[in-house]
Amino acid sequence: MTEPAATNKPVLSVIGTGYLGATHAACMAELGFTVIGVDIDPAKVDLLNSGTVPFYEPDLDDLLQRNLRAGRLRFTTSFEEAGKDAQVHFICVGTPQQPGAYAADMSQVFGAVDALAPHISAADLVVGKSTVPVGTAEEIVNRLKSTAAIGVEVAWNPEFLREGFAVQDTLKPDRLVVGVTSEQAERMMREVYAPLIADNVPFLVTDYPTAELVKVAANSFLATKISFINAMAEVCEAAGADVTKLAQAIGYDPRIGSRFLAAGLGFGGGCLPKDIRAFMARAGELGAEEALTFLREVDQINLRRRAHTVDLARKTLGGDFRGKVVTMLGATFKPDSDDVRDSPALDVAVAISNAGATVRVHDPKGIANAKRVYPNMDYREDLLDAVTDADLLLLGTEWREYRELDPHQLTGKVAGAAIIDARNALDPQAWRSAGWIYRALGRPTA
Ligand code: UDX
């Protein structure tokens, strides 16, 4: 993969060094480009320059260190440096949900564009990658008209990377989507992604609104698929059926497919929940609200799974949380990530704690981030310590080390041999035959 920096390639800047930007910067350097990562947080920039990724993402440390050493990658807080030295500028900053509203907070995107604009040259290309409301590219074009040199081009190039697979998804994406309004911009994008295009990655050229919509449409579909199977889980619970078998059976139909049909605590993270809400908000502004009312239901089904899990825990403990110790296995929104944004597991842990139980939280990677959001929870670094004398274990994130737990080994440690498998990640038979009360979401009680 690694090749020496070629002088005819454009130099790239990547604005924003979170999960998306840091990964994109390191991966583009790996593809042989000279890359300048920009962030307004000097501490983050120092960490990245010293070869440390400020979050957990498999394989990213190696990639970062290798490309720093090769001299292809550096990080700075200076927009001036990025504007002067690079010709293609990727906007990779966050678009979180606005507090108290569904819409996305766009201040980081416009802040980044405004900070960069005075420093870029007429032949430069600004490429949006952040997930944004449709219409943003056009708004950036208008903004640049008064703030940047005449001739600066804009392209929209959504990112589809999953946390935990971010490097793989960036270096071997399913597809590349590029929204442009000129041949010049398309040519530059083809140059930037030449190594991937040569690798037969499908390259779709669209207008701006289509490129912007592709991202939120994809995430809405994925969220809908998860909520569909979780709605089936609700029906299975009422009918005494098994949602995991149901998912397996419908998944064999290639029109349906088996991926993203894992029923459980539902989706969380920094993307799916806020993206479907921002999409609804934007559709409303465009007068197309009715088209997306189903996403409200998708959101509701998802949140209901959390409330149901709290109820199931209460029932399993005989109807009362008081005086009981519950150990939440998992704090992150999914395994192989340290991200606790909108984490179903953490949300349930807090709800059970508020309902009166003594709650301990274990997670292999997410404790530091969880502590920042909920400093008063009882976090345990050691798994055995976390489960010792617990009345109930609750698997909220399907980390491998939980999937591999041996029920026989734990029996003597806990106060009550009861587990709720809120991710359908364990073998019910193995736990029940070891003497445990095993409950799961969407599956028969015994
Ligand atoms: C998602 C999209 O997959 C990615 O393409 C987009 O660019 C960003 O948002 P990510 O947030 O990293 O990526 O996580 P993803 O793997 O999609 O999982 C999202 C949530 O859904 C997790 O909480 C996961 O536990 C849950 N999930 C996923 C299920 O509950 N069931 C499933 O079958 C799959």
Side-chain angles (χ1 to χ4, degrees):
M1 220 14 137
T2 311
E3 54 182 74
T7 44
N8 59 339
K9 286 182 170 180
V11 173
L12 314 179
S13 83
V14 176
I15 320 289
T17 60
Y19 291 95
L20 166 60
T23 308
H24 189 64
C27 287
M28 294 312 287
E30 181 73 3
L31 291 176
F33 291 92
T34 299
V35 182
I36 306 162
V38 185
D39 205 289
I40 54 171
D41 180 349
K44 231 188 217 179
V45 164
D46 286 347
L47 270 179
L48 285 161
N49 274 328
S50 72
T52 308
V53 178
F55 50 87
Y56 175 69
E57 182 61 45
D59 304 329
L60 191 54
D61 279 88
D62 275 2
L63 210 68
L64 174 75
Q65 286 156 16
R66 187 160 63 238
N67 285 286
L68 285 169
R69 270 199 309 272
R72 283 188 296 263
L73 181 58
R74 67 181 195 270
F75 295 88
T76 176
T77 54
S78 166
F79 284 86
E80 189 180 350
E81 185 183 336
K84 222 167 58 200
D85 292 356
Q87 295 83 50
V88 178
H89 311 276
F90 288 95
I91 307 293
C92 295
V93 295
T95 51
Q97 187 175 342
Q98 280 178 21
Y102 268 16
D105 172 356
M106 294 296 292
S107 58
Q108 293 181 51
V109 170
F110 295 131
V113 170
D114 291 348
L116 183 69
H119 306 294
I120 52 182
S121 327
D124 284 9
L125 179 67
V126 174
V127 186
K129 285 192 93 61
S130 307
T131 303
V132 295
V134 58
T136 300
E138 197 62 54
E139 203 170 330
I140 290 176
V141 169
N142 290 332
R143 240 176 152 93
L144 289 173
K145 274 184 191 148
S146 55
T147 53
I150 307 286
V152 169
E153 293 265 359
V154 173
W156 211 263
N157 169 222
E159 187 62 69
F160 304 100
L161 61 83
R162 298 160 297 168
E163 286 177 29
F165 299 90
V167 170
Q168 179 189 321
D169 285 351
T170 308
L171 289 175
K172 290 192 185 306
D174 299 324
R175 74 295 209 189
L176 290 162
V177 177
V178 168
V180 289
T181 52
S182 77
E183 280 175 16
Q184 160 72 357
E186 181 184 336
R187 202 165 39 246
M188 285 175 90
M189 290 308 294
R190 284 187 185 277
E191 221 174 295
V192 165
Y193 286 125
L196 302 184
I197 295 170
D199 241 5
N200 294 322
V201 175
F203 186 84
L204 278 87
V205 180
T206 72
D207 49 40
Y208 289 155
T210 306
E212 290 163 331
L213 281 172
V214 166
K215 174 60 189 277
V216 280
N219 275 357
S220 297
F221 191 89
L222 294 171
T224 303
K225 206 169 173 193
I226 298 168
S227 277
F228 171 83
I229 201 63
N230 283 332
M232 294 304 109
E234 289 187 11
V235 180
C236 285
E237 280 154 15
D242 184 334
V243 74
T244 63
K245 290 271 158 48
L246 181 140
Q248 192 186 359
I250 63 172
Y252 279 120
D253 182 335
R255 292 170 302 175
I256 296 174
S258 58
R259 295 177 70 186
F260 266 66
L261 280 185
L265 252 187
F267 58 82
C271 290
L272 299 190
K274 67 111 177 150
D275 286 355
I276 61 169
R277 292 175 195 149
F279 196 17
M280 284 186 266
R282 184 63 182 141
E285 287 167 8
L286 294 170
E289 196 171 62
E290 257 185 18
L292 299 186
T293 47
F294 76 97
L295 286 179
R296 195 173 289 273
E297 199 52 44
V298 166
D299 201 10
Q300 290 305 313
I301 294 165
N302 194 52
L303 296 176
R304 267 207 306 273
R305 289 285 78 187
R306 301 181 190 185
H308 172 75
T309 303
V310 176
D311 287 344
L312 187 61
R314 189 187 285 108
K315 261 186 224 142
T316 308
L317 288 170
D320 196 351
F321 280 129
R322 278 170 306 176
K324 302 288 193 209
V325 176
V326 178
T327 298
M328 175 57 85
L329 300 174
T332 54
F333 83 104
K334 69 173 191 181
D336 295 319
S337 166
D338 64 354
D339 195 345
V340 300
R341 285 177 294 172
D342 205 340
S343 163
L346 199 52
D347 213 9
V348 167
V350 170
I352 292 178
S353 167
N354 289 342
T358 299
V359 176
R360 300 174 189 156
V361 180
H362 177 269
D363 192 279
K365 297 282 177 200
I367 290 181
N369 282 340
K371 262 187 194 160
R372 260 175 235 133
V373 195
Y374 297 110
N376 297 327
M377 300 290 285
D378 178 1
Y379 298 100
R380 303 288 174 105
E381 301 280 347
D382 182 78
L383 182 52
L384 264 189
D385 169 50
V387 302
T388 299
D389 297 331
D391 296 291
L392 174 68
L393 309 186
L394 209 163
L395 191 156
T397 314
E398 67 279 30
W399 284 96
R400 178 193 282 265
E401 61 187 281
Y402 305 150
R403 284 192 271 119
E404 291 175 350
L405 280 173
D406 178 352
H408 292 283
Q409 262 180 12
L410 294 187
T411 308
K413 305 272 178 221
V414 293
I419 187 159
I420 294 178
D421 177 7
R423 290 290 179 184
N424 286 310
L426 305 173
D427 175 3
Q429 191 49 37
W431 285 78
R432 285 184 180 136
S433 62
W436 283 67
I437 296 171
Y438 170 93
R439 300 265 158 83
L441 304 192
R443 297 175 100 169
T445 315

